[in-house]
Amino acid sequence: MKLYIVLLVLIITLTSCKESNETNALEQSETTETATAEITNKDTRAKSESINKGTFLCKINGKDWAYTKASGIVNTHAKTKKRTAIITFTKKLDKGSESVQLFYDGDTKALEKVTADIKQPKKGGGTMSAMYQLLHEGGQRLSESKISGTIDLSHATAASGTAEVSNMKIRFKEGNLEDASMAVISFSPIQFSGVGYSDLSKVFGSN
């Protein structure tokens, strides 16, 4: 009788352990599947947002700015023979577009000028095209304005470079801005690579 009871207890114990292990394995599997699904969904959302918003370039006055198209040209002035490399980042909007342009000396490779065309809310409603410009030398600039950067044109068709720009003043219609602080803008450090460009002197065969 005692042997029967011992065997019965042993069978019940083994059965309970098996069911417990199966339950734990199932719960662990479900948890793993849930976590994997969440990661996959997160990655999908991130990719979708990246496609919709464009490629991040920099922060402008602390707000992210992304572009949907980047292109470049290298132009040689007919008389002075000065070479200028212009890199243009364009952001396509539902209505219109925004742009940031970087102008480099094609020989020294130093950043010479920056322009920006950014949509801003205007007084009374609606938006306006706020035009900004900063030159390394001369032009309308503030005493604390800073501009620096370099470009690498060693690759025949793809440019890379850097730019640092701060305190770039709006060119006109400052009084129309809803947010007066946007009369002067600063970029977080810019770094780009793989931007396709064309050397017009080679395209058109000029010297």
Side-chain angles (χ1 to χ4, degrees):
M1 184 65 177
K2 290 182 180 181
L3 180 60
Y4 173 76
I5 294 173
V6 170
L7 289 174
L8 183 60
V9 170
L10 183 60
I11 291 171
I12 292 172
T13 301
L14 290 174
T15 302
S16 298
C17 288
K18 182 179 179 182
E19 290 177 351
S20 176
N21 289 337
E22 288 177 348
T23 300
N24 290 338
L26 180 60
E27 289 177 350
Q28 185 175 2
S29 176
E30 289 176 348
T31 301
T32 301
E33 289 176 0
T34 301
T36 302
E38 289 177 353
I39 292 172
T40 301
N41 291 336
K42 184 177 181 181
D43 288 344
T44 302
R45 287 196 300 269
K47 289 178 181 178
S48 178
E49 289 176 1
S50 176
I51 292 171
N52 292 333
K53 295 181 179 180
T55 303
F56 176 79
L57 179 68
C58 65
K59 289 181 179 290
I60 298 180
N61 281 11
K63 295 183 179 180
D64 290 355
W65 193 86
Y67 62 91
T68 52
K69 180 182 178 182
S71 61
I73 62 169
V74 177
N75 186 38
T76 302
H77 193 279
K79 293 183 178 180
T80 65
K81 302 303 179 183
K82 174 181 171 58
R83 297 175 72 237
T84 302
I86 307 171
I87 304 298
T88 303
F89 299 96
T90 304
K91 180 180 183 179
K92 183 65 177 176
L93 305 174
D94 292 336
K95 293 183 179 180
S97 62
E98 295 181 338
S99 65
V100 170
Q101 284 190 304
L102 309 175
F103 297 74
Y104 296 86
D105 184 310
D107 297 314
T108 67
K109 308 301 188 296
L111 181 63
E112 294 186 313
K113 181 174 75 172
V114 178
T115 66
D117 180 357
I118 309 296
K119 299 291 183 183
Q120 293 294 335
K122 66 178 181 179
K123 291 180 180 178
T127 60
M128 60 179 280
S129 290
M131 308 286 293
Y132 303 84
Q133 179 176 276
L134 180 60
L135 283 70
H136 189 269
E137 295 183 5
Q140 185 183 23
R141 55 183 293 143
L142 304 172
S143 59
E144 62 270 29
S145 295
K146 294 182 181 179
I147 175 173
S148 64
T150 58
I151 192 169
D152 182 357
L153 300 173
S154 59
H155 190 286
T157 58
S160 59
T162 62
E164 294 196 21
V165 183
S166 60
N167 297 306
M168 181 163 63
K169 197 175 187 303
I170 194 171
R171 295 182 64 187
F172 48 80
K173 298 183 178 180
E174 177 179 342
N176 291 351
L177 288 169
E178 177 66 27
D179 182 0
S181 69
M182 291 304 295
V184 178
I185 61 175
S186 295
F187 296 169
S188 63
I190 293 174
Q191 188 168 5
F192 62 89
S193 62
V195 175
Y197 75 94
S198 298
D199 189 329
L200 300 186
S201 64
K202 295 179 180 179
V203 172
F204 296 104
S206 59
N207 296 321

